[in-house]
Amino acid sequence: MGDIRLLVLDLDGTVVGKSNEILPETLETIRTAQAQGIAVAIATGRMYQSALRFHQTIASPLPLITYQGAYIKDPANNRLHKHLSVSRVLAEALLDFFEDPALRRQISVHFYIDDQLYVREITADTEAYVGRSTVQPIAVGDLRSLLNQEPTKVLAQSQDTDLIDELWQTLKQRYFPTDLYLTKSVATFLEATHPQVNKGAAVKYLAEDVLGLQPENVMAIGDNLNDLEMLQYAGLGVAMGDAPAPVQTIAQWVAPSVEAGGAAVAIDRFLLQ
């Protein structure tokens, strides 16, 4: 597959499964790839503070890509490479939309500011989210009280996946891609960030501006719609076996599922042979 010198990994659904840890066989193949001189980076929708432990587990010397690429920071020296936030005007408009009485009881809204999670109230969905992300939510009541600052990301969460799809389609009709980047990292999350944010742009920055590489030097593995741009950018894009159809379609190869150690299979197949 050419000269792959950078491997970029999504976390949840790719190298992190139900255990909320990097699968042991995947970690072994990551370390073998690193020992052969391949740089390994993480690109995730998670908060920086939530993703940091995984970055430390793989001992990556590279900046950590979080919030779909809206927040790129180097843990080694705390240098913030990039931070793109949602404008106050659009954040307020999103709040107006999500706080509609017809929606209010059906969704939980998360505001991310300065790598902290702010919520209106602690709901069952929020508790489930916090259990996996291991962050402490801050309940503030009316989220409009935070609009003196620009959020890194706005997230709407609901177990009603049809509702999430409906809201996604509505917002895509209301806003141009030049207004907001709208995506789903899992079926229950609708996420809004700055329009220049996506994992593809973040990986391009890391590969070309930080490491001096080209797309053909990059292999990326992901499992959901927020990974589309990253897989399209990489010279070798691998989708997980349980990825949605659009993600599998644009990938050069489809690996087994996360619980079957699909990322380890892909790394071994393309980088360790």
Side-chain angles (χ1 to χ4, degrees), residues 204-216:
K204 182 178 188 294
Y205 168 77
L206 180 61
E208 298 181 21
D209 295 359
V210 177
L211 297 175
L213 303 177
Q214 294 300 311
E216 57 266 28

Side-chain angles (χ1 to χ4, degrees), residues 257-269:
S257 69
V258 60
E259 297 301 334
V265 174
I267 294 168
D268 182 69
R269 177 185 177 95

Side-chain angles (χ1 to χ4, degrees), residues 181-250:
Y181 174 62
L182 297 161
T183 191
K184 295 193 303 177
S185 55
V186 296
T188 55
F189 292 175
L190 171 59
E191 308 190 20
T193 54
H194 186 282
Q196 294 176 17
V197 166
N198 64 69
K199 289 187 184 181
V203 173
K204 182 178 188 294
Y205 168 77
L206 180 61
E208 298 181 21
D209 295 359
V210 177
L211 297 175
L213 303 177
Q214 294 300 311
E216 57 266 28
N217 304 128
V218 180
M219 175 177 171
I221 311 177
D223 79 301
N224 223 305
L225 297 169
N226 62 322
D227 296 310
L228 275 169
E229 294 88 353
M230 175 174 76
L231 300 188
Q232 289 171 323
Y233 169 78
L236 174 56
V238 174
M240 301 299 288
D242 38 13
V247 181
Q248 294 195 27
T249 298
I250 62 96

Side-chain angles (χ1 to χ4, degrees), residues 112-162:
Y112 302 84
I113 298 174
D114 292 333
D115 201 37
Q116 297 295 323
L117 169 59
Y118 294 89
V119 296
R120 181 178 64 227
E121 58 188 352
I122 309 296
T123 65
D125 282 346
T126 299
E127 288 178 345
Y129 177 93
V130 167
R132 189 164 180 86
S133 63
T134 64
V135 300
Q136 184 62 45
I138 303 169
V140 296
D142 190 352
L143 289 168
R144 290 178 179 81
S145 65
L146 302 172
L147 287 174
N148 61 327
Q149 304 173 78
E150 294 185 344
T152 304
K153 183 173 75 172
V154 180
L155 180 148
Q157 179 182 11
S158 173
Q159 295 305 308
D160 186 342
T161 56
D162 290 338

